[in-house]
Amino acid sequence: MVNELVSKEHPRQRLIFFVAEDVDDEKRAAVKKMITDLAPQRKWVIGPPSFIDVVDDATSREGDEQDETLGGIHEIYSAYSPNDLPREVDLLHLAEVEQIVRAVQRLSLEQGIEFEFELDGRFVGAIENGDMDSTLQQGLLGEWHNHLA
């Protein structure tokens, strides 16, 4: 159904959510489980979020800790002008992102992990101890709701 509403060439955006503190094996396992558990919970427009665990060796010097990105990535169709995204698809993407945010909130609260969110490399908010900051709550999600109202 969605495939009929959006062309294969429609631009996509990447929502990345990642641990914003030191990473250890316990956090790695918890984040991987959260993302694995999300996949079967719904029919995703493009696909479920994917687990990412990337070490950037280029940023580290000998003896330094390596820069690691641990979290997830979720693709959505772009609704930024001049792209015309059908409202039904935009609503589905909003529901997907809200489901991801709720899962991250639970994990953050349970494990005390701080997360940050980026959309195409631009900071769009954070969650600490289960609480969304205003950038995520009012900026990304609030404005998205307003746009669709």
Side-chain angles (χ1 to χ4, degrees):
M1 170 167 58
V2 171
N3 294 336
E4 298 167 3
L5 298 173
V6 182
S7 78
K8 291 181 181 184
E9 293 81 33
H10 194 97
R12 296 178 180 193
Q13 294 180 287
R14 294 176 147 205
L15 177 72
I16 299 176
F17 48 102
F18 57 92
V19 173
E21 57 189 52
D22 290 340
V23 173
D24 59 30
D25 289 339
E26 185 178 331
K27 290 174 189 166
R28 188 173 290 107
V31 171
K32 187 171 188 175
K33 181 178 180 342
M34 174 194 66
I35 293 169
T36 301
D37 290 350
L38 272 171
Q41 291 181 10
R42 69 178 306 122
K43 183 173 165 74
W44 302 86
V45 174
I46 296 175
S50 302
F51 176 71
I52 54 172
D53 187 7
V54 179
V55 175
D56 186 359
D57 291 323
T59 62
S60 62
R61 289 172 281 176
E62 191 173 325
D64 289 347
E65 287 198 26
Q66 296 174 320
D67 189 18
E68 184 171 6
T69 303
L70 170 68
I73 187 166
H74 184 62
E75 276 195 322
I76 59 175
Y77 290 115
S78 176
Y80 286 149
S81 183
N83 302 307
D84 186 24
L85 187 64
R87 186 173 192 278
E88 309 85 71
V89 177
D90 210 1
L91 283 166
L92 289 170
H93 278 320
L94 175 58
E96 291 175 348
V97 170
E98 288 179 326
Q99 186 167 356
I100 291 167
V101 167
R102 285 190 302 273
V104 171
Q105 281 183 292
R106 279 190 301 276
L107 182 59
S108 173
L109 183 61
E110 292 167 3
Q111 302 275 331
I113 302 172
E114 183 179 350
F115 285 86
E116 289 187 5
F117 288 74
E118 291 182 357
L119 186 60
D120 285 347
R122 193 187 72 189
F123 176 80
V124 292
I127 294 176
E128 186 173 0
N129 295 319
D131 293 323
M132 279 188 271
D133 70 357
S134 62
T135 306
L136 183 59
Q137 187 172 24
Q138 297 164 5
L140 179 67
L141 299 177
E143 289 299 318
W144 202 339
H145 275 278
N146 291 341
H147 169 74
L148 290 169

